[in-house]
mmCIF file with all atom_site columns, all heavy atoms in Angstrom:
data_model
loop_
_atom_site.group_PDB
_atom_site.id
_atom_site.type_symbol
_atom_site.label_atom_id
_atom_site.label_alt_id
_atom_site.label_comp_id
_atom_site.label_asym_id
_atom_site.label_entity_id
_atom_site.label_seq_id
_atom_site.pdbx_PDB_ins_code
_atom_site.Cartn_x
_atom_site.Cartn_y
_atom_site.Cartn_z
_atom_site.occupancy
_atom_site.B_iso_or_equiv
_atom_site.pdbx_formal_charge
_atom_site.auth_seq_id
_atom_site.auth_comp_id
_atom_site.auth_asym_id
_atom_site.auth_atom_id
_atom_site.pdbx_PDB_model_num
ATOM 1  N N   . ASP S 1 92  ? 13.935 1.950  11.976 1.00 0.00 ? 1491 ASP S N   1
ATOM 2  C CA  . ASP S 1 92  ? 13.221 3.208  12.171 1.00 0.00 ? 1491 ASP S CA  1
ATOM 3  C C   . ASP S 1 92  ? 11.941 2.871  12.920 1.00 0.00 ? 1491 ASP S C   1
ATOM 4  O O   . ASP S 1 92  ? 11.648 1.692  13.163 1.00 0.00 ? 1491 ASP S O   1
ATOM 5  C CB  . ASP S 1 92  ? 12.925 3.883  10.831 1.00 0.00 ? 1491 ASP S CB  1
ATOM 6  C CG  . ASP S 1 92  ? 12.759 5.399  10.940 1.00 0.00 ? 1491 ASP S CG  1
ATOM 7  O OD1 . ASP S 1 92  ? 12.491 5.893  12.061 1.00 0.00 ? 1491 ASP S OD1 1
ATOM 8  O OD2 . ASP S 1 92  ? 12.885 6.083  9.912  1.00 0.00 ? 1491 ASP S OD2 1
ATOM 9  N N   . ARG S 1 93  ? 11.184 3.892  13.293 1.00 0.00 ? 1492 ARG S N   1
ATOM 10 C CA  . ARG S 1 93  ? 9.922  3.701  14.002 1.00 0.00 ? 1492 ARG S CA  1
ATOM 11 C C   . ARG S 1 93  ? 8.933  4.756  13.563 1.00 0.00 ? 1492 ARG S C   1
ATOM 12 O O   . ARG S 1 93  ? 9.302  5.923  13.404 1.00 0.00 ? 1492 ARG S O   1
ATOM 13 C CB  . ARG S 1 93  ? 10.105 3.843  15.519 1.00 0.00 ? 1492 ARG S CB  1
ATOM 14 C CG  . ARG S 1 93  ? 11.060 2.887  16.137 1.00 0.00 ? 1492 ARG S CG  1
ATOM 15 C CD  . ARG S 1 93  ? 11.218 3.142  17.626 1.00 0.00 ? 1492 ARG S CD  1
ATOM 16 N NE  . ARG S 1 93  ? 10.163 2.388  18.312 1.00 0.00 ? 1492 ARG S NE  1
ATOM 17 C CZ  . ARG S 1 93  ? 9.706  2.677  19.508 1.00 0.00 ? 1492 ARG S CZ  1
ATOM 18 N NH1 . ARG S 1 93  ? 10.159 3.712  20.180 1.00 0.00 ? 1492 ARG S NH1 1
ATOM 19 N NH2 . ARG S 1 93  ? 8.767  1.928  20.061 1.00 0.00 ? 1492 ARG S NH2 1
ATOM 20 N N   . VAL S 1 125 ? 5.410  2.059  16.047 1.00 0.00 ? 1524 VAL S N   1
ATOM 21 C CA  . VAL S 1 125 ? 5.485  0.868  15.205 1.00 0.00 ? 1524 VAL S CA  1
ATOM 22 C C   . VAL S 1 125 ? 6.940  0.711  14.783 1.00 0.00 ? 1524 VAL S C   1
ATOM 23 O O   . VAL S 1 125 ? 7.504  1.606  14.135 1.00 0.00 ? 1524 VAL S O   1
ATOM 24 C CB  . VAL S 1 125 ? 4.579  0.994  13.958 1.00 0.00 ? 1524 VAL S CB  1
ATOM 25 C CG1 . VAL S 1 125 ? 4.741  -0.216 13.047 1.00 0.00 ? 1524 VAL S CG1 1
ATOM 26 C CG2 . VAL S 1 125 ? 3.119  1.182  14.364 1.00 0.00 ? 1524 VAL S CG2 1
ATOM 27 N N   . ASP S 1 126 ? 7.552  -0.417 15.165 1.00 0.00 ? 1525 ASP S N   1
ATOM 28 C CA  . ASP S 1 126 ? 8.934  -0.686 14.785 1.00 0.00 ? 1525 ASP S CA  1
ATOM 29 C C   . ASP S 1 126 ? 9.022  -1.053 13.309 1.00 0.00 ? 1525 ASP S C   1
ATOM 30 O O   . ASP S 1 126 ? 8.188  -1.811 12.791 1.00 0.00 ? 1525 ASP S O   1
ATOM 31 C CB  . ASP S 1 126 ? 9.505  -1.829 15.634 1.00 0.00 ? 1525 ASP S CB  1
ATOM 32 C CG  . ASP S 1 126 ? 9.693  -1.424 17.085 1.00 0.00 ? 1525 ASP S CG  1
ATOM 33 O OD1 . ASP S 1 126 ? 10.016 -0.247 17.340 1.00 0.00 ? 1525 ASP S OD1 1
ATOM 34 O OD2 . ASP S 1 126 ? 9.493  -2.281 17.969 1.00 0.00 ? 1525 ASP S OD2 1
ATOM 35 N N   . LEU S 1 127 ? 10.047 -0.496 12.645 1.00 0.00 ? 1526 LEU S N   1
ATOM 36 C CA  . LEU S 1 127 ? 10.290 -0.775 11.223 1.00 0.00 ? 1526 LEU S CA  1
ATOM 37 C C   . LEU S 1 127 ? 11.700 -1.323 11.064 1.00 0.00 ? 1526 LEU S C   1
ATOM 38 O O   . LEU S 1 127 ? 12.648 -0.562 10.854 1.00 0.00 ? 1526 LEU S O   1
ATOM 39 C CB  . LEU S 1 127 ? 10.120 0.504  10.395 1.00 0.00 ? 1526 LEU S CB  1
ATOM 40 C CG  . LEU S 1 127 ? 8.764  1.210  10.492 1.00 0.00 ? 1526 LEU S CG  1
ATOM 41 C CD1 . LEU S 1 127 ? 8.821  2.561  9.802  1.00 0.00 ? 1526 LEU S CD1 1
ATOM 42 C CD2 . LEU S 1 127 ? 7.679  0.345  9.910  1.00 0.00 ? 1526 LEU S CD2 1
ATOM 43 N N   . PRO S 1 128 ? 11.862 -2.656 11.161 1.00 0.00 ? 1527 PRO S N   1
ATOM 44 C CA  . PRO S 1 128 ? 13.198 -3.247 11.006 1.00 0.00 ? 1527 PRO S CA  1
ATOM 45 C C   . PRO S 1 128 ? 13.742 -2.986 9.593  1.00 0.00 ? 1527 PRO S C   1
ATOM 46 O O   . PRO S 1 128 ? 12.971 -2.873 8.633  1.00 0.00 ? 1527 PRO S O   1
ATOM 47 C CB  . PRO S 1 128 ? 12.963 -4.740 11.220 1.00 0.00 ? 1527 PRO S CB  1
ATOM 48 C CG  . PRO S 1 128 ? 11.617 -4.843 11.867 1.00 0.00 ? 1527 PRO S CG  1
ATOM 49 C CD  . PRO S 1 128 ? 10.844 -3.649 11.418 1.00 0.00 ? 1527 PRO S CD  1
ATOM 50 N N   . VAL S 1 133 ? 5.907  -3.469 7.030  1.00 0.00 ? 1532 VAL S N   1
ATOM 51 C CA  . VAL S 1 133 ? 4.896  -3.585 8.080  1.00 0.00 ? 1532 VAL S CA  1
ATOM 52 C C   . VAL S 1 133 ? 3.591  -3.030 7.516  1.00 0.00 ? 1532 VAL S C   1
ATOM 53 O O   . VAL S 1 133 ? 3.570  -1.930 6.966  1.00 0.00 ? 1532 VAL S O   1
ATOM 54 C CB  . VAL S 1 133 ? 5.303  -2.796 9.344  1.00 0.00 ? 1532 VAL S CB  1
ATOM 55 C CG1 . VAL S 1 133 ? 4.199  -2.847 10.391 1.00 0.00 ? 1532 VAL S CG1 1
ATOM 56 C CG2 . VAL S 1 133 ? 6.609  -3.322 9.915  1.00 0.00 ? 1532 VAL S CG2 1
#
Side-chain angles (χ1 to χ4, degrees):
D1491 205 340
R1492 300 178 87 203
V1524 176
D1525 291 326
L1526 302 171
V1532 176

